[in-house]
Amino acid sequence: MRKNTLSLSTYTAAFTDQGQGAPLIFLHGFLGSSDCWHRIIPELQIAYRCLALDLLGFGGSSKPRLRYNIWHQVEFLQQFIQTLDLQNFHLVGHSYGGWTAAAYSLASTGLGWTSQGWSSFTPISTSIPPPTSLNLIAPAGIRDDSFASRYTYMKPLLWETPLVDWGLKLIAPMARVVNQQSAFQKVFQARQELLRQPVAKSFLVDRWRPEDAIDTVDQYLQQLQIPTQVIAGQQDTTIPLWHCQTYAEKIATSTINVIPNAAHDLIQTHSFEIVRIINRFLEQFQNRVAG
C-alpha cells in the first residue's frame, strides 16, 4: 500500500488511504506500523474509507526523541483528524493502538492531563471530536504491575553498543542447530525495531517501575459512552484476557468477542474472523442509527 505524508502543526504523519465511505482510522500496535493492517484493510475498503496511520515515532511518521506517553499519540491523532477534516469517523486499534484509541476517546470527553497523570481539573485546550465507535483489538492501556518483570529479558536489546549485534550473530548458527530459528528471528527483529523506533525504547526504559504507568486508562473508562467492541485472543500472553475484560466491564456501551486459539498477532492469524466481527458491529451500529 502506497503511503502518503501529511504535515501537521509540529510533526509529519505517514498513512495509507484507501476506499470510500465512512472513515475507519486504523492504529497499529507496539513495534508496528500501518503495514500491520495489510490483511484487514483490503476486505473493509469495499465499504469504508480506510486510513491506516503510522503513530508518532513509528513507521514513516516523525520520530522525535521524547519521553513518550500516550498523550503524545492523542495529540498526534487529533492533529491528523483535524488536518484531514474527518467527520463521523470510527477508530480501530490493536494493542498500543487500542490504548491510543481509548485515550483519545477519553480526551474527547474533556478529560485532560498533567505530568502526573490524567486530570479532570486540567481540561484540554483544544476541542477533540469523539469517534463514532471504537473497535479495540487486544488493547493495551490497563495498569498491570507485572509488566516490568515480563519484559526484563529485553533490557540487553536496548544497549546501544555493537557488542549486542556481534553476540546475536554468534548465536544465529546455534539457533539453527537447536531448531530455534523462529525464536531467534523474533529477538533479532525486536533489536532492530528498538533501535529504529524511539517510542519503543522510551516506553521500555521509562516504565520499569509500576508507578511510572501514569497514563493508563482503566480508572476512567466508565466515562466513555461510545459504542465499543472489544476483540480478544484467548491465548494472548502479551495482553492477557483480563485486560480486555476490564475494558468490556468498565465501558457500559461495550461488547466483547473472544477468539479461541488466537494470540497477540491475531490481526495476522485471524484476519478473516476479525473482518467479519468488525463488519457485523459496524452494520449493526449503522442499522441502529438509521432506525
Side-chain angles (χ1 to χ4, degrees), residues 49 79-87:
R49 180 184 179 187
Q79 291 175 22
F80 175 75
I81 291 168
Q82 182 181 50
T83 303
L84 288 179
D85 192 27
L86 299 174
Q87 307 291 326

Side-chain angles (χ1 to χ4, degrees), residues 14-65:
F15 67 103
T16 63
D17 187 353
Q18 299 184 78
Q20 294 182 335
L24 305 186
I25 304 174
F26 293 83
L27 307 173
H28 61 80
F30 205 57
L31 296 179
S33 73
S34 56
D35 297 335
C36 296
W37 300 103
H38 72 280
R39 296 180 184 274
I40 304 289
I41 287 178
E43 303 300 324
L44 291 172
Q45 70 180 42
I46 300 168
Y48 302 98
R49 180 184 179 187
C50 297
L51 302 106
L53 175 65
D54 286 346
L55 291 168
L56 185 66
F58 295 95
S61 291
S62 296
K63 297 180 175 63
R65 294 286 176 177

Side-chain angles (χ1 to χ4, degrees), residues 30-31 56-58 63-70 72-73 96 99 147 154 157-158 160 193-209 212-213 215:
F30 205 57
L31 296 179
L56 185 66
F58 295 95
K63 297 180 175 63
R65 294 286 176 177
L66 302 170
R67 183 184 174 96
Y68 279 88
N69 56 51
I70 205 64
H72 289 112
Q73 303 297 355
Y96 180 65
W99 179 7
F147 170 84
M154 295 186 72
L157 299 181
L158 300 171
E160 294 186 10
E193 293 301 325
L194 287 169
L195 292 178
R196 276 198 297 263
Q197 299 181 359
V199 187
K201 183 172 182 179
S202 174
F203 260 72
L204 291 173
V205 170
D206 298 333
R207 289 173 178 264
W208 291 118
R209 302 175 305 165
D212 293 328
D215 51 358

Side-chain angles (χ1 to χ4, degrees), residues 96-200:
Y96 180 65
W99 179 7
T100 299
Y104 174 92
S105 301
L106 284 173
S108 76
T109 69
L111 186 65
W113 56 84
T114 70
S115 59
Q116 302 303 310
W118 292 99
S119 173
S120 57
F121 301 103
T122 310
I124 55 178
S125 57
T126 58
S127 175
I128 294 184
T132 302
S133 75
L134 292 173
N135 272 278
L136 306 177
I137 306 170
I142 302 300
R143 175 160 175 167
D144 184 348
D145 291 350
S146 69
F147 170 84
S149 61
R150 291 208 308 270
Y151 291 93
T152 300
Y153 76 94
M154 295 186 72
K155 279 186 176 181
L157 299 181
L158 300 171
W159 298 343
E160 294 186 10
T161 169
L163 292 175
V164 175
D165 303 292
W166 295 340
L168 289 173
K169 288 180 180 179
L170 290 173
I171 294 171
M174 290 183 284
R176 287 193 292 271
V177 170
V178 296
N179 199 28
Q180 293 295 319
Q181 300 99 315
S182 177
F184 172 81
Q185 192 61 28
K186 288 181 179 178
V187 171
F188 180 78
Q189 290 175 349
R191 164 70 173 172
Q192 302 308 307
E193 293 301 325
L194 287 169
L195 292 178
R196 276 198 297 263
Q197 299 181 359
V199 187

